[in-house]
Amino acid sequence: MSVLRIDQQGPRHVLTLARPEKMNALSADLVEALIAALDEAEGARAQVIVLQGEGKNFSAGFDFGDWQTQSEGDLLLRFVRIETLLQRLAASPCLTVALAHGRNFGAGVDVFGACKWRISAPDATFRMPGLKFGLVLGTRRFASLVGAERARTILEQAATFNAEDGLRDGFVSRLATPQEWPQISEAALETASALTDASRTQLYAALSQETPDTDLARLVRSAAAPGLKDRVAAYLQAR
């Protein structure tokens, strides 16, 4: 069974995270499938890429299901590939739209935050506990959306915030129930098609605050410190 469903609707590609039994946690296979789907969408000159989650939430973040069998190097590579996914989303020439509902954690929240339109159901919650095991992932991008002071407050405490908090802080673009999502998807396509591909690409590049090399270096420095598996074990035991 595929971990990612891809629905190509002309210039709009809808990517559905399809691991509902695992709350759409980001396994290595799912991350690679998402990166490949972005390659395919951009190669096909898609205008809009929509990300959503099957089941009761968007994504529970990094999949810790088999972490004990992996080396620290294996874990580091998995985090690097997630950062690669985040950078691809943030720099995409397509209008990327994330639709979140339910309880969302860690890298799943980062995936949501890397998209240009970030639509949240009113019931959604978000939490980023990566610093609890010393991981710097998506931190700079989160701060660019909500401001450094607010980001520090949330990330120091690994605090859960709800959809209304996210809207107030600028992390969420808009609140909408899942019943409204089809209309938002249509609006995204209308918005994207109002510009030529070249103009849209130039606009997104001009507005970009991405620092890919710096973000990757910070992630690797944090994850490569000796004792990553011990830090993960302590986090999982305490949560």
Side-chain angles (χ1 to χ4, degrees):
M1 182 178 295
S2 175
V3 295
L4 181 69
R5 290 205 313 275
I6 303 173
D7 183 11
Q8 297 185 17
Q9 303 170 356
R12 176 176 52 209
H13 288 212
V14 180
L15 311 182
T16 303
L17 282 60
R19 300 186 73 213
E21 75 286 356
K22 297 293 185 181
M23 295 181 67
N24 299 318
L26 297 173
S27 63
D29 287 347
L30 179 52
V31 171
E32 295 306 320
L34 283 165
I35 292 172
L38 292 178
D39 288 340
E40 182 178 1
E42 292 172 13
R45 299 182 65 180
Q47 296 175 341
V48 175
I49 298 173
V50 179
L51 281 80
Q52 60 187 10
E54 182 180 334
K56 61 185 179 182
N57 72 323
F58 176 60
S59 175
F62 188 84
D63 185 0
F64 288 104
D66 58 353
W67 72 273
Q68 291 176 310
T69 66
Q70 299 178 337
S71 69
E72 295 206 346
D74 292 334
L75 289 174
L76 172 58
L77 177 59
R78 286 187 59 194
F79 288 127
V80 166
R81 293 302 285 168
I82 290 174
E83 174 62 26
T84 300
L85 170 61
L86 299 179
Q87 293 187 10
R88 289 293 311 280
L89 280 170
S92 177
C94 304
L95 174 52
T96 50
V97 181
L99 305 171
H101 67 294
R103 300 172 63 198
N104 304 286
F105 300 91
V109 180
D110 292 319
V111 168
F112 179 82
C115 293
K116 297 177 180 70
W117 284 19
R118 301 172 301 280
I119 313 302
S120 174
D123 71 338
T125 61
F126 306 89
R127 182 172 183 255
M128 291 172 286
L131 286 168
K132 291 293 185 180
F133 50 94
L135 191 72
V136 177
L137 178 67
T139 305
R140 191 269 321 152
R141 191 175 294 108
F142 182 61
S144 73
L145 292 173
V146 307
E149 291 296 328
R150 181 61 176 157
R152 180 162 43 248
T153 298
I154 291 173
L155 296 174
E156 282 177 341
Q157 303 173 13
T160 299
F161 59 96
N162 61 28
E164 290 188 357
D165 293 334
L167 181 65
R168 179 199 63 206
D169 293 338
F171 183 67
V172 170
S173 304
R174 175 179 169 184
L175 300 184
T177 65
Q179 290 74 24
E180 298 174 281
W181 289 355
Q183 294 96 315
I184 290 173
S185 182
E186 288 295 326
L189 186 56
E190 290 179 10
T191 298
S193 62
L195 297 176
T196 65
D197 292 347
S199 294
R200 189 173 59 255
T201 299
Q202 291 170 9
L203 172 64
Y204 293 163
L207 295 176
S208 176
Q209 299 182 39
E210 290 297 295
T211 56
D213 292 343
T214 299
D215 290 346
L216 182 58
R218 285 180 175 141
L219 165 67
V220 171
R221 189 177 298 115
S222 68
L228 174 60
K229 292 186 73 171
D230 290 339
R231 296 194 299 274
V232 169
Y235 161 71
L236 293 174
Q237 185 174 11
R239 72 175 181 176

